[in-house]
Every structure is written in structure tokens, then in C-alpha cells.
Amino acid sequence: MVNVKHGEIIDYAMPMLKMEKLLRNLHDLCLDGKYSDAGKLCPDLIAEVRVLSASLALMQAKKETK
């Protein structure tokens, strides 16, 4: 059971925007052949995906409690 406080704002947009920016940066680095630098951004992208996943799970739990 997920405990979500009443009135708490859960944001999915911010991690998605961060992911979009990271993906653009990764793509540009790959186009420039800077694969090592691109690889260094992958952990940041993974972290944002995890934040998004958790946010969506909380939003679903909040929806189910209404």
C-alpha cells in the first residue's frame, strides 16, 4: 500500500523533460562520435526513468484511493 498525503503534488512532467534533454545530449554526443561522454550520461537518464516510474506508481495509487 502506498501512502500518499492529501493534496500532495506528484509531478511526472519534470523527469520527462529532463529525460528529453538528456536524450538530445546523448544523441548529439553519439553523432559527434563521443561515445564515452555519451555513456557517462546514461546513469543520469536511468535515474530520471526511475523517478518517472515512481511518480507514475504514486499517481496510480492516488487515483485508486479516490
Side-chain angles (χ1 to χ4, degrees):
M1 175 81 183
V2 178
N3 185 11
V4 180
K5 296 177 186 175
H6 179 68
E8 181 179 356
I9 297 174
I10 302 164
D11 182 27
Y12 66 88
M14 190 56 68
M16 290 181 78
L17 291 170
K18 289 179 182 178
M19 289 166 48
E20 182 180 13
K21 183 177 179 181
L22 284 164
L23 284 170
R24 272 186 271 136
N25 290 341
L26 274 160
H27 185 244
D28 289 343
L29 288 168
C30 288
L31 289 175
D32 292 339
K34 297 179 181 178
Y35 305 114
S36 179
D37 291 337
K40 291 175 185 174
L41 294 180
C42 289
D44 295 334
L45 181 59
I46 292 167
E48 291 303 328
V49 170
R50 287 181 174 164
V51 170
L52 175 60
S53 180
S55 297
L56 294 173
L58 288 171
M59 292 172 72
Q60 181 64 35
K62 186 175 181 178
K63 179 181 174 183
E64 291 172 357
T65 60
K66 287 185 178 182

